[in-house]
Amino acid sequence: AQTVTQSQPEMSVQEAETVTLSCTYDTSESDYYLFWYKQPPSRQMILVIRQEAYKQQNATENRFSVNFQKAAKSFSLKISDSQLGDAAMYFCACRDDKIIFGKGTRLHILP
Amino acid sequence: DGGITQSPKYLFRKEGQNVTLSCEQNLNHDAMYWYRQDPGQGLRLIYYSQIVNDFQKGDIAEGYSVSREKKESFPLTVTSAQKNPTAFYLCASSISIGLSGGPSTDTQYFGPGTRLTVL
């Protein structure tokens, strides 16, 4: 990957509501992988979800799902039924011959 | 209880001193990585290793050195040549870095990090 862009430095969502974090990337490879990582205040990086570029079906993990638009090189993360524990920095990453991370989106959950 | 450990959690260094950050994993992963994280930035790759006794420079290797004498261990030395070493350092591992000709399918798993401060 050459670049990964997260255009929203910060976002807020009401508890129990749905929020979408955006990510765009640029790669010249046809075979690559996309990831969303969560970094809570403990600063431990935790894998949230992974998408293989060759798969058309969007990945889903419980309340987390992605909207993968390959032609547009877009990979957004949707969090449903937001919980207080979802508050964290979220990093989008793209891996072809190497892995590149975006600068992150800080998500606040409002009680 | 498998995982990746980093020590120490906090590290203070005087200017001009070298310091070594520890990273150990018991996941039996072949590949290991070091990243640097600065405020408002994503992670930037410093060094990575695919196999014992082999390692490659990442995007910001200047001022850093590594060794990979054992599969489980990948220590990072921050040398006095690193101009701005104060940062949060993350170690990661994956099953493999990828077969020849293609990217790895393997996810990277991260340690808890070390916060280095230069006084």
Side-chain angles (χ1 to χ4, degrees):
Chain A
Q2 301 301 311
T3 59
V4 175
T5 302
Q6 294 179 248
S7 59
Q8 306 147 315
E10 285 195 67
M11 294 191 71
S12 297
V13 63
Q14 208 74 35
E15 194 176 1
E17 296 295 309
T18 295
V19 64
T20 299
L21 281 58
S22 64
C23 173
T24 57
Y25 60 92
D26 182 31
T27 177
S28 56
E29 301 292 332
S30 58
D31 193 13
Y32 53 91
Y33 301 85
L34 298 161
F35 306 86
W36 278 99
Y37 281 90
K38 170 184 177 181
Q39 189 178 42
S42 67
R43 306 199 75 173
Q44 173 92 48
M45 292 282 282
I46 303 164
L47 176 68
V48 175
I49 202 164
R50 184 181 90 166
Q51 174 83 41
E52 291 86 351
Y54 64 85
K55 289 187 177 179
Q56 293 186 344
Q57 186 172 8
N58 289 325
T60 299
E61 285 288 338
N62 301 314
R63 297 182 295 106
F64 298 87
S65 61
V66 298
N67 183 6
F68 174 46
Q69 302 289 329
K70 192 172 185 178
K73 294 184 178 176
S74 171
F75 182 60
S76 60
L77 174 69
K78 185 172 84 171
I79 306 174
S80 304
D81 185 25
S82 298
Q83 301 175 0
L84 294 177
D86 295 334
M89 282 289 287
Y90 286 82
F91 292 95
C92 176
C94 176
R95 180 172 192 156
D96 43 31
D97 62 333
K98 62 178 180 178
I99 188 167
I100 299 292
F101 288 82
K103 293 187 177 182
T105 295
R106 183 172 299 282
L107 180 64
H108 303 277
I109 309 296
L110 306 173
Chain B
D1 196 16
I4 303 174
T5 57
Q6 290 185 241
S7 61
K9 188 172 182 179
Y10 299 97
L11 189 57
F12 298 89
R13 186 194 96 176
K14 293 182 180 179
E15 279 193 32
Q17 286 182 336
N18 291 355
V19 64
T20 297
L21 283 59
S22 168
C23 177
E24 304 276 334
Q25 54 97 1
N26 61 4
L27 301 168
N28 201 32
H29 285 174
D30 284 320
M32 297 187 75
Y33 314 78
W34 273 106
Y35 292 92
R36 171 179 171 142
Q37 186 179 23
D38 294 285
Q41 300 290 322
L43 278 65
R44 292 183 291 168
L45 182 64
I46 304 172
Y47 268 98
Y48 62 96
S49 169
Q50 302 181 57
I51 197 169
V52 173
N53 293 323
D54 181 67
F55 47 83
Q56 308 294 329
K57 291 182 179 180
D59 299 319
I60 55 165
E62 185 176 352
Y64 299 97
S65 65
V66 293
S67 62
R68 187 85 186 278
E69 296 176 2
K70 298 186 300 181
K71 187 176 185 178
E72 302 80 16
S73 179
F74 190 43
L76 173 74
T77 297
V78 184
T79 74
S80 56
Q82 169 50 234
K83 296 289 187 281
N84 185 20
T86 294
F88 187 65
Y89 291 87
L90 283 160
C91 178
S93 69
S94 65
I95 294 175
S96 68
I97 201 163
L99 302 175
S100 58
S104 170
T105 61
D106 302 320
T107 300
Q108 293 187 18
Y109 296 91
F110 287 82
T114 293
R115 173 71 185 174
L116 172 63
T117 302
V118 173
L119 303 173

